[in-house]
């Protein structure tokens, strides 16, 4: 009998996929190298830890975990609708915003369609496109960011979806309000435009696009956001999308009824009202960004100016080697060769002492 191989049974697009490479956990590095202290600056997490209000709410929630969560997320949807000044019927909840992005693609895109995104953009866009069997159209970046004119020119009669990350991960680049609106004016309404705003809260208020308001004029626009970054809930997996009610209606037909658990629903609801926590996270990030950029300028290292909670630094053709050397110093950062940035490392903003640990290791290795 021939040896069983599940790859022979899967859809063609899935066969070519490679598993998503997450940041190395601190426990794994400690076990591998016998290190006592490790600093993780690899996954764009909030270094503050959980909001104290969230901790209190989660403790109270533990008593009822034998029950299924609210499948419709009534209280969280109501709070999000109020915050964004939309109807609850326009909200789709997700197990992190990654979940929402995949639901969008599986809802609207077939293997006969094309999906447009930028070079150096978030890896989930090409992954889900390939899994569906659709044609990925990666438009070359300009200055490491989205070339919106090039993306508009790439539209064909087969284009079904366009992904835009603003700010973008892993480059941190940012698109202005006028550039985004001009782009939306060019895109036919039979093409879904997904504006991925995972790092929205780190953008200065005066520079944020009124993206949710635009949905009234551009019903093909979907705005996705997450609680994993500035809100500090990466481990609980909470995200959402705001869209035209007819778009949300079909998304909620595809969405699994319990894709957010009771703890993530409660944590997301509570943290939305912890304004002091969010402000502290944003201020800490700005301080850490200044700490890292000043270090780069001191050592003469080029970096991509970032609107996120990370900095992508050009370190040269031995970036992978430097990444490994930093691991041995107890500092985990993120190599981004898979994003066609083989000479760069992405460094998440941590606590001041964590940023300093990276700086100290870099000076030892490169100073």
């Amino acid at each position: 009998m021939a040896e069983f191989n599940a790859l022979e049974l899967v859809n063609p697009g899935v066969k070519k996929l490679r598993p998503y490479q997450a940041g190395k956990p601190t426990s794994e590095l400690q076990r591998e190298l016998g290190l006592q202290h490790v600093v993780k600056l690899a996954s764009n997490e909030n270094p503050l830890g959980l909001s104290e209000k969230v901790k209190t709410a989660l403790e109270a929630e533990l008593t009822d975990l034998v029950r299924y969560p609210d499948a419709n997320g009534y209280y969280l949807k109501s709070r999000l609708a109020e915050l964004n000044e939309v109807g609850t019927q326009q909200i789709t909840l997700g197990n992190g915003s990654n979940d929402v992005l995949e639901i969008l693609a599986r809802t609207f895109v077939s293997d006969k369609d094309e999906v447009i995104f930028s070079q150096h953009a978030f890896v989930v866009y090409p992954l889900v496109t390939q899994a569906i069997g659709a044609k990925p159209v990666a438009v070359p970046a300009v200055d490491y960011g989205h070339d919106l004119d090039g993306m508009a020119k790439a539209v064909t009669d087969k284009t079904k979806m366009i992904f835009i990350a603003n700010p973008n991960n892993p480059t941190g680049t940012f698109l202005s309000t006028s550039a985004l609106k001009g782009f939306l004016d060019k895109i036919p309404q039979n093409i879904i435009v997904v504006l991925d705003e995972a790092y929205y809260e780190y953008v200065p208020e005066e520079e944020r696009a009124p993206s949710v308001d635009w949905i009234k004029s551009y019903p093909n626009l979907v705005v996705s956001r997450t609680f994993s970054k500035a809100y500090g809930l990466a481990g609980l997996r909470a995200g959402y999308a705001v869209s035209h009610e007819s778009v949300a209606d079909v998304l909620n037909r595809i969405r699994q009824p319990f894709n957010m658990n009771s703890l993530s629903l409660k944590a997301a609801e509570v943290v939305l009202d912890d304004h002091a926590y969010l402000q502290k996270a944003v201020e800490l990030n700005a301080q850490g960004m200044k700490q890292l950029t000043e270090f780069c300028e001191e050592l003469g290292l080029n970096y991509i100016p970032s609107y996120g909670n990370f900095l992508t630094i050009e370190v040269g053709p031995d970036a992978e080697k430097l990444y490994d050397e930093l691991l041995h110093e107890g500092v985990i950062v993120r190599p981004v060769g898979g994003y066609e940035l083989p000479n760069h490392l992405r460094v998440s903003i941590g606590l001041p002492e964590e940023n300093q640990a990276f700086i100290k290791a870099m000076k030892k290795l490169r100073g």
Side-chain angles (χ1 to χ4, degrees), residues 53-259:
K53 290 183 179 180
V54 168
K55 287 182 183 179
T56 301
L58 291 182
E59 287 174 4
E61 198 71 17
L62 291 175
T63 60
D64 211 27
L65 290 185
V66 295
R67 308 295 181 189
Y68 281 104
D70 175 7
N72 292 313
Y74 173 82
Y75 292 107
L76 178 56
K77 276 188 178 180
S78 297
R79 188 66 191 90
L80 288 169
E82 180 185 5
L83 181 69
N84 290 285
E85 298 182 345
V86 298
T88 56
Q89 71 275 18
Q90 293 180 253
I91 305 289
T92 304
L93 300 178
N95 185 239
S97 58
N98 280 22
D99 186 33
V100 173
L101 300 176
E102 183 165 358
I103 292 169
L104 278 159
R106 293 191 181 280
T107 300
F108 291 101
V109 181
S110 76
D111 59 3
K112 298 178 179 62
D113 299 323
E114 295 178 353
V115 177
I116 296 174
F117 46 83
S118 175
Q119 180 190 24
H120 311 316
F122 188 35
V123 70
V124 166
Y125 311 153
L127 279 178
V128 71
T129 301
Q130 188 173 324
I132 292 167
K135 180 181 177 181
V137 180
V139 175
V142 172
D143 296 328
Y144 300 105
H146 293 61
D147 176 6
L148 292 182
D149 288 337
M151 293 174 77
K153 290 175 183 175
V155 170
T156 71
D157 58 1
K158 292 184 178 180
T159 304
K160 198 63 172 290
M161 184 167 286
I162 301 172
F163 285 110
I164 297 174
N166 198 44
N168 182 54
N169 172 33
T171 61
T173 50
F174 183 70
L175 296 161
S176 70
T177 296
S178 59
L180 282 170
K181 195 170 188 306
F183 176 78
L184 290 169
D185 285 334
K186 299 175 185 177
I187 305 303
Q189 289 192 357
N190 65 329
I191 298 172
I192 299 293
V193 179
V194 182
L195 185 57
D196 180 358
E197 294 186 331
Y199 299 89
Y200 175 81
E201 291 80 13
Y202 292 112
V203 177
E205 286 191 34
E206 65 274 13
E207 295 187 62
R208 296 176 188 172
S211 48
V212 170
D213 291 343
W214 286 345
I215 294 170
K216 300 184 189 80
S217 302
Y218 306 99
N220 57 321
L221 173 64
V222 180
V223 178
S224 71
R225 292 184 184 156
T226 186
F227 290 89
S228 295
K229 308 304 179 186
Y231 287 111
L233 301 183
L236 283 170
R237 314 306 303 128
Y240 68 100
V242 186
S243 63
H244 186 272
E245 60 187 65
S246 66
V247 172
D249 174 58
V250 292
L251 294 178
N252 284 315
R253 299 182 194 190
I254 299 295
R255 181 186 70 87
Q256 293 297 308
F258 303 115
N259 67 337

